[in-house]
Amino acid sequence: MVGYRALTWAEGAPQPEWADQEVGSSFQTLHRPLESWSADRQVAADWLETRGGPGLILAERMPAEDVLSVPLTGMGYLGQKEWVALSSERPTLLDGVSVGRSQERAAERTAASSVNVGGPALGSGEDALPEEPTNSSDAQVKGSDPQWQPLEITGHQLNPTDLFDHQTIRTLDGEQHPDWWPRDDSGYAISKRDLDFLGIDPVQIKWLATKEAPMGMTPELYDQFGTELLEALQRDGVPPDQVDIRLKGTGSGFFSGMHKELPRQEDTPDNPEAVKRMQEWFGDSVERPKRRPHDSMWRLGLESVPSDFDLDINSTRMIRAAREHWKERHPDCYPGDFMGGHGYLDKGAVKGTFPNLAGWTDRWENKLGREISVGAFESSGPINATKFGRSLSGHFRSTDWIIHNSDQPWAERSKRQAQSWLSEYWNHSQALIQRGELGPKTAPTMLELHTQADRMATVAYAGQDEQFMEHVRNQTVQKAVFQAGQLGVDNAKLPSHPAQFLSASKEEKKRYAASMRPGRTPNSGKPADTTKTAPRPQRRLSPPGSGGAKPSPTGNSRHNQDQQEGTDIER
């Protein structure tokens, strides 16, 4: 069983020797008999908040034999999901720290959620900066500030011959959602109704999918955003090879995490304006997102600021520089663990140590009309709290929106975007054929995309000759497939992906090729649209396994091909 327990003590009272460890640290400790634990971490956090003094939250994966009693067996409060444990020495995780109300407000940063609800009070001096709120609820104090008016992105026309634009148009018309379309963890996919209410131009969904720009930016602005961010860090002594930068939150994922549900009308009885806006948004429909879409709380009037940009900057070099900076200038500001038990640098420490980063933040907040919340972590990033049974965790994931790191440098983003585009091109083409929808109406668009794919490949595979030649081979097959679809060939007779043809047996290739000969009838060796003139010779490219045989100049080309090792496809 995974349980949580809060401990607190009076201001200035002695603390356990393990209390100064960083959040996420594991240690062995002896637990007294009849200690109470809760399965709900929020119960422990709420109790700690009511006490007001310094304290911490422990987490444990407790073996069943150490549980003395649960509410149904006589001890423990059911409403708090509480149980009572036996005395035992067990490995324990320091999961959260509260600094007490003496430092403005109780502050907590968890290894699991990385949610900041406060920070240490800084002393006076030239580097002392007031702590600013970083989460949406605290940010409401800025609601009257005119700078929090997000950039308007409107008037961008979708191009039907662009792959992602084409899919976006079809999706908004009510057709099947592609895999890259924004969904929350309940499976709800964003709709035209949602975009209309939220004031989001559909082109932003395309930019989000291709990583051309996060929500709230254009590709041009995003290019400046990332370039100037790395320049600011360089001026502060943090070179590009010493930093990993990731964008979190709705700016990169469109929906908030599982810890933030979208309120319903019954949740806001004291806010008639929010109820009215929800009615405008959803009407009587029961189809609605479970999580909060980008800017939704602001549009509903439940928060006075739009969605912010959450930046995780992971750099041990930055942590060390900040530690030295504050140790030399204000050693009393951060007693004990410099990271404050949070696992990250608080906002004041970042601003005081890295003035160029602070200046960059201020400029871009004004330019975008949104708050930028910067969290500085060790190079390993936030702790992986899923190892301790938590479903909510801010650790590195393969799905993260990476702005820059050593493996994916900012300077190579165009190459990554082109590779992403090509991946979606092949997925879309395959799905279209498998659904039997490649025909005279859709094939012209696919042939346009075929041409665009070749342009993308020159960027995606720059300096990678082998991968580029593989793309050329695949495209040779794919063009023949699209041309066959344009003539109305049954999709079931066509390979849904070039690999299906290229890896086929000799007999299977012959069957595919018979269907992929545009302009030919089953019993003729000449193009169907030829009457008086003979066809002009066409250059052919033989796929692997064909032996490089040339097409027969006679009218019995099909018979002659039966004796070749493979089957030619017209380019």
Side-chain angles (χ1 to χ4, degrees), residues 46-114:
D46 290 344
W47 181 85
L48 196 59
E49 176 73 17
T50 61
R51 302 288 292 183
L56 46 80
I57 296 176
L58 304 180
E60 264 193 27
R61 189 181 295 275
M62 189 178 299
E65 57 264 30
D66 282 357
V67 177
L68 173 64
S69 176
V70 296
L72 296 181
T73 57
M75 298 178 70
Y77 178 44
L78 183 61
Q80 293 185 349
K81 303 176 185 177
E82 183 185 27
W83 69 81
V84 176
L86 295 169
S87 175
S88 175
E89 185 171 355
R90 300 183 295 266
T92 303
L93 172 74
L94 182 58
D95 187 57
V97 172
S98 171
V99 297
R101 288 179 182 158
S102 64
Q103 299 185 20
E104 298 183 6
R105 293 184 61 183
E108 183 186 9
R109 183 73 171 191
T110 74
S113 65
S114 296

Side-chain angles (χ1 to χ4, degrees), residues 24-35:
S25 299
S26 182
F27 52 91
Q28 198 83 3
T29 185
L30 178 64
H31 294 276
R32 295 177 298 177
L34 303 181
E35 284 184 348

Side-chain angles (χ1 to χ4, degrees), residues 237-385:
V238 185
D241 63 349
Q242 296 290 315
V243 68
D244 175 301
I245 308 172
R246 305 187 183 217
L247 182 66
K248 302 291 185 72
T250 64
S252 62
F254 195 87
F255 287 99
S256 63
M258 62 179 66
H259 59 301
K260 293 183 179 180
E261 289 195 12
L262 182 69
R264 306 177 74 87
Q265 282 94 327
E266 56 268 27
D267 299 326
T268 57
D270 300 327
N271 194 328
E273 180 61 28
V275 172
K276 177 184 176 183
R277 294 184 188 184
M278 284 186 199
Q279 183 64 30
E280 292 173 0
W281 183 358
F282 300 115
D284 297 326
S285 174
V286 296
E287 293 292 325
R288 59 183 66 196
K290 183 176 182 179
R291 308 303 173 194
R292 301 174 184 178
H294 183 72
D295 276 349
S296 58
M297 298 295 283
W298 180 62
R299 292 290 182 182
L300 289 170
L302 293 173
E303 291 183 358
S304 55
V305 294
S307 297
D308 62 357
F309 291 106
D310 291 321
L311 279 181
D312 280 5
I313 303 181
N314 309 282
S315 172
T316 297
R317 183 161 181 160
M318 289 182 68
I319 302 300
R320 290 173 178 170
R323 180 179 285 112
E324 289 302 315
H325 176 92
W326 289 96
K327 182 179 179 180
E328 292 176 3
R329 290 165 176 78
H330 302 287
D332 297 332
C333 288
Y334 295 96
D337 173 26
F338 176 70
M339 307 287 274
H342 307 153
Y344 74 108
L345 291 180
D346 71 75
K347 201 167 185 178
V350 173
K351 283 194 170 185
T353 313
F354 308 104
N356 290 289
L357 176 60
W360 173 89
T361 302
D362 291 340
R363 287 193 304 276
W364 277 93
E365 283 185 337
N366 291 329
K367 185 175 291 190
L368 299 172
R370 298 177 186 272
E371 186 180 13
I372 298 175
S373 179
V374 178
F377 298 83
E378 296 277 1
S379 294
S380 56
I383 190 171
N384 183 356

